[in-house]
Amino acid sequence: MLDLAMRGKLVKQDPNDEPTSVLLEKIKAEKAELIKEKKIKKSKPLPPITDEEKPFDIPDSWEWVRLGDLTAPVEYAMADGPFGSNLKKTDYTLDPEVRIIQLSNIGENGWKDQNVKYTTFEHLKSIQRSEVFPGNIVIAKMMPAGRAIIVPNKDKKYVLSSDAVKFIPDTHIYIKIF
């Protein structure tokens, strides 16, 4: 079913729907305005997707884009976990302060509430780019690479471990759930 949805074949395509190009322009314009206002930094442009990279055909009103083109206009909308030496066992605490999201939490069917580890609010300040919030998407960098979850609203705060990346999608394409 997901395969059909990704190819635009799950439901009949409505020719009256706004084309993807219009949505992408809205996202680009919003980011340009925030850059102009110095609220976010300009990121490096991503290369266009080549025909060799396209695994299948999609409807004419859709477009292939890089994941980075769909990030929310916020700082660190796509970031990886801290380098291993920036989050060591000596930074852990038994107090339930900042939950560390690890590979073992990224389940095949969503969040797995196991292997619970925390770091301190104070240490989070030094690795702030790796902080994640309920509703953010976290993607595994290691086996099973590409597996993703939506961060639940269970703990006070969250931070990535070194084996994951976060993706905060633009609100034009994603409905906030928390």
Side-chain angles (χ1 to χ4, degrees):
M1 189 180 305
L2 184 57
D3 180 58
L4 292 173
M6 289 175 55
R7 295 171 189 263
K9 296 180 179 180
L10 187 60
V11 297
K12 186 174 177 357
Q13 297 301 300
D14 185 346
N16 298 317
D17 282 347
E18 181 177 81
T20 306
S21 59
V22 173
L23 173 65
L24 293 172
E25 282 303 316
K26 287 179 185 176
I27 292 171
K28 191 185 279 186
E30 182 180 12
K31 286 182 182 179
E33 184 62 29
L34 291 170
I35 290 166
K36 184 178 167 186
E37 295 171 0
K38 298 188 185 316
K39 292 183 178 178
I40 62 171
K41 294 177 185 172
K42 185 174 183 174
S43 56
K44 289 188 255 178
L46 299 170
I49 295 179
T50 64
D51 287 340
E52 293 79 37
E53 292 176 286
K54 299 174 184 175
F56 48 81
D57 292 331
I58 56 175
D60 291 338
S61 62
W62 292 17
E63 283 189 42
W64 285 102
V65 295
R66 303 232 179 252
L67 189 59
D69 291 327
L70 303 176
T71 58
V74 296
E75 193 169 24
Y76 307 126
M78 195 160 193
D80 55 357
F83 186 71
S85 62
N86 291 326
L87 184 58
K88 301 177 284 227
K89 288 187 180 184
T90 55
D91 299 314
Y92 291 5
T93 180
L94 296 175
D95 297 325
E97 293 186 30
V98 181
R99 177 76 179 264
I100 301 169
I101 298 178
Q102 305 163 88
L103 275 180
S104 57
N105 302 126
I106 305 172
E108 190 172 329
N109 298 311
W111 175 259
K112 290 173 74 175
D113 200 20
Q114 60 187 39
N115 198 18
V116 179
K117 290 190 170 61
Y118 294 97
T119 190
T120 63
F121 294 125
E122 189 60 36
H123 186 66
L124 176 63
K125 293 175 186 174
S126 67
I127 54 174
Q128 190 173 13
R129 71 185 295 279
S130 300
E131 183 176 7
V132 291
F133 300 91
N136 290 173
I137 297 170
V138 172
I139 306 165
K141 289 192 326 190
M142 302 172 73
M143 295 312 281
R147 186 178 284 175
I149 58 161
I150 296 174
V151 177
N153 192 10
K154 296 178 53 92
D155 288 275
K156 295 174 195 167
K157 291 211 175 248
Y158 294 91
V159 70
L160 298 172
S161 64
S162 61
D163 45 18
V165 296
K166 71 175 175 180
F167 168 64
I168 305 173
D170 190 283
T171 55
H172 288 96
I173 62 164
Y174 177 74
I175 299 170
K176 196 165 181 153
I177 59 173
F178 294 111

